[in-house]
Amino acid sequence: SPGKELDAVLTRYNRTGTLSAVYNFLEDCLNVHWIAPGDRGISFVPDKVLNLTAGEKSWTPELVQRHLRIGPSWDGFKRGYMTELPPEFQPTEKDYLSAWNDSQLWLRRMRLGSSKTFSYGHAFVDWWKKYGKTHPDYFALTEKGTREPFFASKPDRIKLCVSNPAVPAQIVTDWLATKNRQGAAANINVCENDSANFCTCPGCMALDARKPGEKFLDHLTDRYVYLANKTLEQARKYAPDAVAIMYGYAYYRHAPRKIKVDPAVIVGFVPFMMVPFEQTAATYQQWRQAGTQQLFLRPNDHHINTGLPMGFEKRMFEAFQLGIKNGIIGTDYDSIHGFWPVTGIADYILAKAHVDPHQSFEHWENEYYSSFGPAADAVRDYYRYWRQEWYDKRFQPLAEKMDKELNGNNVFRSAFIRDIPSLYTDADFDKTDHILTTALQRPLPAAVQSRLKEILLANRHARLEFHAIRDVKAGKLGGARELLRFRREIRNQVGMNWAMLFHIEKTYGDLAGMEMAAITDAFKDVQETPRDWYFRIDPQDQGLKEKWFTQPWNTFKDCPLIPTTVNWEKARPYGKHADLQKTLVNYDGIGWYARQLQIPESWQGREIFLTFGAVDESCQVYVNGVLAGEHKMTLPDDWKTPFSIRIDPLLHHDKPAQKQTVVIRVEDKSGSGGIWKRIWLTAR
């Protein structure tokens, strides 16, 4: 039954060999396929008679770990995604958990799982909290000459001083305290925390093996192999069969040059999919030559996904195959994005490749298309267009060029997402729409017709998303408003992870203009203000008494510029104001923002507003030295609620070409503070 199937999947450390046998039977004998999570993703041909042939089949997974990550738990979703969604896109807890369980079930139906339990990931996220006061020597000596988190707001990303012999000793002490607990993994996790700010002490620097002309970050692998080896030396005093896991990632993805890898070290290798495969193959071999006996593939390949059709399914499959040829023992992909009618084919083929790693791409590709029955050829033509005409001819050459420029350190979305307006054309969507609409004119089973319509809606959504991104880059919001309207119309008709899509767009500065499209629904015209505003802290609350809002504009121009897209705790003032960052990371109190704005002359005689995405917590807005209005935090959600303040009565109407001075006093009593969602000029 569905309930028992889900219980079996969600029960931790449960063995599911019988369940896998049932799935194999359904696929092989009844031609059932699961092309996406949930009931809408189940493909089968109804029949009154089952024609079964007697036979036997067994399956033994080749990989001890087969893992594609999915989204966060409900608590993680609420913290990281919920506030980024317009209200009508925010799921209830029941709906979210239902979709999350469907994804877990889909993974198991694809036979993903593990026969060994490994423990890895950022291993030292709580170390600063535990040892920062008592053992500052455990931590990296930064370029600032201190042993503390480079960013006080992110102590979980602090780096270690790996040459300190007390560090591996402490790792082993902590491991021994947990190793015998039920469910704890047998291996030691020595994966360094993510981000930069590595140790620059003489001991750690002496461990590195950079070639002449290489920069500090070009090669840091030897120091982390040293840490893993030394940790195992300590651990073997208590557990002769101890195993350690480290990452081969980013600045330490290349194999070590002078230190051999202990045979009991397992390396989670994180290659980049867009790098030429001959380079990645060479890196695999170099890790082997350095003594590595066990590697698992821990890629971030999914993080090129934008929600637009991209055709990367074959490249992703080939990157997986490269790992198989180089003897990987498992995988851990971060992570499925849930854009099922757009890029779900890539997740399907990748998942099925884990079942039989030696089948061809075309085998799994054709299996996916078979779920569309009489429309299989049209779906094939649709996905192959994006792969052959877009990915192969436009994107991959650009990705390789960017990888070369960035020295292989960051070819994810951030490297190309701003190029979207030049990477797509309306002709792309004209051709692909034609393929799908022509197929829909055929006599099709209802289920196939429904799936085909879903892909067509997703393709039309992608065209509007492309238009919106193009418009935002040109300083317009017309495309964004049309996109938001369409999203509202189709949100329950397509299997799109809207939370992830809105999150990606927000991460890149409201890329498609969704935040402001939602906020400015009531206005006819919209114009963005500068992202960065001049800023001044007021810890003694002197600004009101001294009337800072009436001071000449030049008094603000010597203040630092900070963005109005993040809380002031995350601001990074630069130049002579860089030291202000240390104050802002824990600052609660008063801050003043100031800018001069040019109002379009065509807006004369209209109601004009400053529209704020959000201010944490309260603010007062002054225009040309006079209070225009205020926003007080009286309700719990007021710190994240958009609002508008009318300003046209205070503008210099006699000199319409003159810039208007806007000064904003923000009061923050606790937690994060400041203007953290962009300010727009709006008119009606």
Side-chain angles (χ1 to χ4, degrees):
S1 70
K4 289 185 177 180
E5 182 190 6
L6 186 60
D7 288 342
V9 168
L10 296 181
T11 301
R12 197 175 186 190
Y13 307 121
N14 197 18
R15 313 299 288 181
T16 55
T18 303
L19 193 57
S20 292
V22 172
Y23 295 146
N24 279 337
F25 170 77
L26 291 171
E27 282 190 334
D28 296 345
C29 299
L30 301 182
N31 204 30
V32 175
H33 299 295
W34 299 276
I35 64 171
D39 291 347
R40 71 203 305 167
I42 302 175
S43 167
F44 65 96
V45 178
D47 204 334
K48 294 181 179 179
V49 178
L50 299 180
N51 295 304
L52 303 178
T53 302
E56 293 183 2
K57 180 178 180 179
S58 63
W59 174 66
T60 301
E62 184 168 324
L63 301 176
V64 299
Q65 177 173 278
R66 307 166 309 284
H67 193 198
L68 276 66
R69 300 184 190 182
I70 59 172
S73 65
W74 171 246
D75 288 340
F77 174 80
K78 285 191 296 183
R79 289 194 305 269
Y81 294 87
M82 185 70 93
T83 59
E84 298 172 350
L85 291 168
E88 62 270 35
F89 289 87
Q90 295 179 3
T92 64
E93 180 177 3
K94 180 180 178 182
D95 288 343
Y96 183 83
L97 291 177
S98 176
W100 193 81
N101 288 339
D102 281 345
S103 295
Q104 292 278 21
L105 197 54
W106 182 83
L107 292 175
R108 188 51 57 92
R109 287 170 171 172
M110 295 290 104
R111 263 77 87 214
L112 299 178
S114 62
S115 54
K116 284 190 177 180
T117 302
F118 296 129
S119 174
Y120 56 90
H122 302 171
F124 311 108
V125 292
D126 60 348
W127 268 45
W128 180 252
K129 182 178 179 181
K130 290 165 63 175
Y131 306 121
K133 292 182 179 179
T134 56
H135 295 285
D137 56 304
Y138 286 180
F139 303 99
L141 180 69
T142 69
E143 294 177 355
K144 296 187 293 184
T146 60
R147 294 186 185 270
E148 61 183 358
F150 192 84
F151 299 126
S153 60
K154 292 186 176 182
D156 61 311
R157 298 302 177 96
I158 195 168
K159 295 294 187 293
L160 301 184
C161 179
V162 300
S163 63
N164 181 352
V167 168
Q170 187 66 63
I171 293 172
V172 172
T173 298
D174 291 354
W175 174 67
L176 290 171
T178 61
K179 124 177 184 35
N180 294 319
R181 293 179 187 171
Q182 186 176 5
N187 70 273
I188 308 170
N189 179 9
V190 291
C191 297
E192 177 62 291
N193 300 333
D194 212 343
S195 77
N197 307 307
F198 297 90
C199 190
T200 59
C201 80
C204 288
M205 296 291 282
L207 293 172
D208 297 334
R210 279 177 289 278
K211 295 177 181 179
E214 287 185 333
K215 298 176 182 177
F216 174 64
L217 293 177
D218 286 345
H219 197 283
L220 294 171
T221 312
D222 286 82
R223 62 172 63 190
Y224 288 109
V225 173
Y226 174 87
L227 175 64
N229 290 351
K230 287 296 181 182
T231 301
L232 282 174
E233 282 182 22
Q234 295 279 343
R236 287 189 179 118
K237 298 175 184 178
Y238 312 96
D241 60 346
V243 175
I245 296 182
M246 65 170 284
Y247 277 152
Y249 176 45
Y251 311 113
Y252 40 97
R253 72 189 182 282
H254 296 296
R257 290 171 175 163
K258 66 180 181 181
I259 301 177
K260 290 293 184 181
V261 180
D262 189 293
V265 171
I266 301 173
V267 177
F269 181 41
V270 189
F272 296 137
M273 186 173 73
M274 285 79 77
V275 173
F277 282 157
E278 58 268 22
Q279 293 182 23
T280 304
T283 306
Y284 273 115
Q285 292 304 309
Q286 289 158 6
W287 276 103
R288 295 294 187 195
Q289 292 163 7
T292 310
Q293 295 188 6
Q294 297 189 84
L295 282 151
F296 69 92
L297 184 59
R298 223 304 283 146
N300 291 309
D301 294 353
H302 286 82
H303 291 279
I304 66 167
N305 208 334
T306 61
L308 293 163
M310 297 181 69
F312 53 71
E313 57 272 6
K314 190 170 186 180
R315 184 77 177 185
M316 187 177 286
F317 173 87
E318 290 172 343
F320 168 78
Q321 285 285 306
L322 187 60
I324 294 295
K325 290 174 184 175
N326 284 278
I328 59 172
I329 63 171
T331 65
D332 180 14
Y333 280 79
D334 184 10
S335 55
I336 291 175
H337 279 37
F339 306 139
W340 291 101
V342 183
T343 55
I345 184 175
D347 295 315
Y348 181 88
I349 293 172
L350 182 63
K352 293 307 293 285
H354 284 72
V355 177
D356 184 353
H358 304 289
Q359 284 286 4
S360 68
F361 173 82
E362 288 72 23
H363 173 85
W364 300 121
E365 180 190 26
N366 289 330
E367 181 179 280
Y368 181 86
Y369 298 146
S370 71
S371 296
F372 292 87
D377 61 330
V379 177
R380 178 201 63 211
D381 292 344
Y382 172 79
Y383 284 112
R384 285 187 178 178
Y385 177 89
W386 289 112
R387 182 165 76 246
Q388 296 170 354
E389 298 298 323
W390 191 87
Y391 187 95
D392 292 347
K393 293 181 180 179
R394 287 180 230 170
F395 178 73
Q396 185 60 34
L398 174 66
E400 291 185 7
K401 176 177 177 288
M402 288 181 170
D403 175 75
K404 201 168 185 179
E405 293 172 353
L406 296 168
N407 196 24
N409 283 329
N410 187 27
V411 187
F412 296 144
R413 277 185 292 259
S414 57
F416 65 86
I417 199 164
R418 301 292 178 185
D419 290 321
I420 284 174
S422 62
L423 285 170
Y424 291 86
T425 68
D426 274 305
D428 293 325
F429 296 102
D430 291 340
K431 292 173 183 175
T432 47
D433 267 3
H434 178 72
I435 292 169
L436 298 172
T437 53
T438 301
L440 277 168
Q441 295 171 15
R442 305 174 187 174
L444 300 172
V448 170
Q449 189 177 61
S450 177
R451 282 190 210 108
L452 203 58
K453 284 182 178 178
E454 188 173 356
I455 297 175
L456 179 60
L457 284 174
N459 200 54
R460 290 175 176 171
H461 169 269
R463 184 199 293 263
L464 294 177
E465 187 177 6
F466 156 60
H467 288 172
I469 294 170
R470 184 183 61 189
D471 279 7
V472 167
K473 191 171 183 178
K476 303 174 183 178
L477 273 179
R481 291 180 171 189
E482 176 64 14
L483 174 62
L484 182 59
R485 182 201 64 75
F486 192 67
R487 281 186 184 176
R488 286 167 172 162
E489 180 183 322
I490 68 166
R491 67 183 185 276
N492 296 320
Q493 299 177 46
V494 294
M496 291 286 284
N497 182 349
W498 296 114
M500 175 59 77
L501 190 53
F502 277 101
H503 174 73
I504 291 170
E505 292 166 351
K506 176 179 170 58
T507 299
Y508 295 99
D510 198 17
L511 178 71
M514 290 295 91
E515 283 190 299
M516 286 315 302
I519 292 167
T520 61
D521 264 353
F523 300 98
K524 183 173 185 262
D525 289 308
V526 180
Q527 178 176 291
E528 64 181 351
T529 71
R531 186 196 71 161
D532 297 335
W533 284 50
Y534 294 99
F535 179 77
R536 183 177 179 184
I537 62 171
D538 186 8
Q540 304 301 319
D541 196 11
Q542 296 296 309
L544 285 178
K545 297 176 186 175
E546 298 173 4
K547 296 186 177 181
W548 290 0
F549 50 89
T550 64
Q551 291 181 356
W553 168 244
N554 286 339
T555 61
F556 289 103
K557 293 193 72 174
D558 194 43
C559 296
L561 285 163
I562 70 169
T564 56
T565 52
V566 296
N567 298 101
W568 58 46
E569 285 85 353
K570 297 179 181 178
R572 303 285 180 263
Y574 52 86
K576 64 181 180 180
H577 302 291
D579 287 345
L580 179 60
Q581 177 189 324
K582 295 179 181 178
T583 302
L584 290 178
V585 290
N586 294 306
Y587 181 65
D588 294 326
I590 310 298
W592 294 75
Y593 295 77
R595 261 294 188 181
Q596 283 197 311
L597 303 179
Q598 182 69 59
I599 311 297
E601 290 190 40
S602 61
W603 288 13
Q604 286 287 318
R606 301 172 63 186
E607 293 182 352
I608 301 172
F609 300 79
L610 282 174
T611 297
F612 295 76
V615 174
D616 192 353
E617 299 159 347
S618 303
C619 73
Q620 294 154 331
V621 178
Y622 298 86
V623 177
N624 297 323
V626 181
L627 179 66
E630 59 185 336
H631 173 76
K632 291 185 177 180
M633 183 171 175
T634 56
L635 299 173
D637 286 344
D638 282 346
W639 65 276
K640 58 182 179 182
T641 302
F643 61 93
S644 297
I645 290 179
R646 188 174 176 182
I647 63 171
D648 57 284
L650 303 178
L651 302 178
H652 295 305
H653 294 290
D654 54 329
K655 299 177 181 178
Q658 180 178 338
K659 289 186 176 181
Q660 318 289 331
T661 300
V662 177
V663 179
I664 303 166
R665 177 183 181 271
V666 175
E667 181 176 1
D668 172 50
K669 295 182 179 179
S670 63
S672 298
I675 303 171
W676 63 286
K677 288 190 178 181
R678 201 160 190 155
I679 309 169
W680 293 74
L681 281 166
T682 52
R684 64 188 179 201

